[in-house]
Amino acid sequence: MTTLPPDAPPPAAPPAPQTPAYAERPPHAQAVIWVALSALIAAAFVCIVWVLIGPSDGTIGRALATILLLAGFCGIAILEARLAHKRPAWFAMASTISWAVALIIGLLLIWMPAHRWDGYDFDPFGAAERLLRFLLVVLILQLVLLHARLYLKAAGRYASTFTRVVAPITLGLVAILAIMLILPLVFNEWVYFYDFYWRVVVAITILAAVGTAIIPMVTALFGARPGPLLVASSTDAAPAPASAGSGLAPWPMFIDGLTPLPMMPDGTPDWNAYHTGHPTPGAMLFASLPAEPVAAEPVAAETGGDVAEAAPADAAPTEPLAEATPEEEDASSSEPGKDA
């Protein structure tokens, strides 16, 4: 096996992925950044107005809660901006908008005065109850996003007229259900929700559940069946090296410059094979590993100090020709019909 000499420099590691600059981001990623900034500025402005003209009781505690909420939103906005270019455009925008809605609801729960529709204002667990309701609002928003992403992925596996009609209706029902569940969590201290409201919530829940179950069933019944799993063998061709203008780094080679390194299951080069000459278990080989050069020994026979090449093994042995005697020459020349 080929190994690196002791004084050979180690191979250069592939460059770490970097987050693209603002000008290099796609349009939806730039829109995510502006939505997050606008929500943060609007929230700060509303808080300032509420501090100036709102009630004076509990201002310090509410201000601290507001600072924590804004700091948490800033961290989530930075994370959303970094991941926006790796996500679908609709999902990146919807995720940012959901966090902006959660920010507004959090500010409402922090700054709205404690007042109950039944006139009973004393509530020793008011702050803890509002915090729990805020966490439930965030959970509902994230579950709606998760449902939409998984549901659209399932609907895209088998596209038909039926699925194109059912999918948007189901997503609309899920969005309406989320709104009807969030409203009581935010305004239950000021608004009384009658029994008919909850009957409508239950009815929409049943319709959304049926619509959610229809798409996987239709895909399982009428969709294409997955084919057999094809496993790449070690004799597969090596990946074509990237051209100079493609912007991609070429696939690394062994020290001979001709044999490509094996590929790990995650798609990265097997750098351990470069150092040791032995592929890591589970790595896929594109070609046989380079072997140690072996000096060829010439097969020769020395006779009298001269080196003569050996005859090939499959060559037939040659016999010396017998010399003709004078009597045989006279007999051959005396035969009739023979030309001299």
Side-chain angles (χ1 to χ4, degrees):
M1 293 296 179
T2 302
T3 57
L4 288 175
D7 55 347
Q18 298 180 355
T19 304
Y22 175 80
E24 301 174 356
R25 297 176 187 266
H28 72 275
Q30 299 179 6
V32 165
I33 298 176
W34 284 109
V35 169
L37 290 176
S38 302
L40 182 63
I41 294 174
F45 179 76
V46 171
C47 291
I48 292 174
V49 173
W50 228 320
V51 168
L52 295 177
I53 64 176
S56 59
D57 55 330
T59 304
I60 297 178
R62 293 179 179 182
L64 292 177
T66 303
I67 293 174
L68 293 178
L69 182 62
L70 294 178
F73 179 78
C74 289
I76 294 175
I78 293 173
L79 181 61
E80 291 287 339
R82 287 183 176 274
L83 298 178
H85 65 283
K86 301 179 182 179
R87 294 177 172 179
W90 70 269
F91 184 78
M93 185 61 63
S95 180
T96 305
I97 293 176
S98 68
W99 288 112
V101 172
L103 174 64
I104 296 173
I105 293 176
L107 293 177
L108 286 176
L109 293 176
I110 291 174
W111 288 100
M112 291 189 73
H115 176 73
R116 298 183 62 89
W117 58 269
D118 55 1
Y120 186 72
D121 296 339
F122 178 74
D123 189 1
F125 303 101
E129 181 185 355
R130 290 189 178 188
L131 176 61
L132 180 60
R133 282 188 282 152
F134 173 73
L135 295 179
L136 289 177
V137 169
V138 173
L139 179 61
I140 292 173
L141 292 174
Q142 297 307 309
L143 287 178
V144 169
L145 284 177
L146 180 62
H147 174 274
R149 187 166 190 177
L150 296 179
Y151 189 74
L152 290 178
K153 185 180 295 185
R157 294 174 183 172
Y158 177 72
S160 63
T161 304
F162 179 74
T163 57
R164 292 190 186 97
V165 173
V166 172
I169 293 177
T170 304
L171 292 178
L173 290 173
V174 172
I176 294 174
L177 177 62
I179 294 174
M180 296 188 70
L181 289 177
I182 290 175
L183 288 178
L185 292 175
V186 178
F187 300 105
N188 69 331
E189 297 182 9
W190 302 272
V191 180
Y192 177 73
F193 294 89
Y194 291 93
D195 182 66
F196 181 75
Y197 181 88
W198 297 108
R199 291 176 182 268
V200 175
V201 170
V202 173
I204 294 178
T205 303
I206 295 174
L207 293 176
V210 172
T212 302
I214 283 178
I215 294 297
M217 292 177 61
V218 171
T219 304
L221 292 176
F222 304 104
R225 297 294 187 274
L229 181 62
L230 299 179
V231 181
S233 62
S234 60
T235 58
D236 293 341
S243 59
S246 63
L248 300 177
W251 189 262
M253 302 288 180
F254 278 95
I255 195 172
D256 59 356
L258 301 175
T259 307
L261 289 179
M263 184 172 65
M264 299 296 291
D266 58 354
T268 59
D270 186 6
W271 294 107
N272 188 35
Y274 185 93
H275 294 281
T276 62
H278 300 277
T280 303
M284 184 175 67
L285 298 178
F286 297 116
S288 57
L289 298 180
E292 292 285 353
V294 180
E297 298 180 358
V299 181
E302 297 183 1
T303 55
D306 297 332
V307 179
E309 294 183 354
D314 56 348
T318 57
E319 298 180 357
L321 298 176
E323 296 182 359
T325 60
E327 292 79 2
E328 293 175 351
E329 291 179 358
D330 294 340
S332 61
S333 59
S334 60
E335 292 180 0
K338 289 274 188 175
D339 295 333

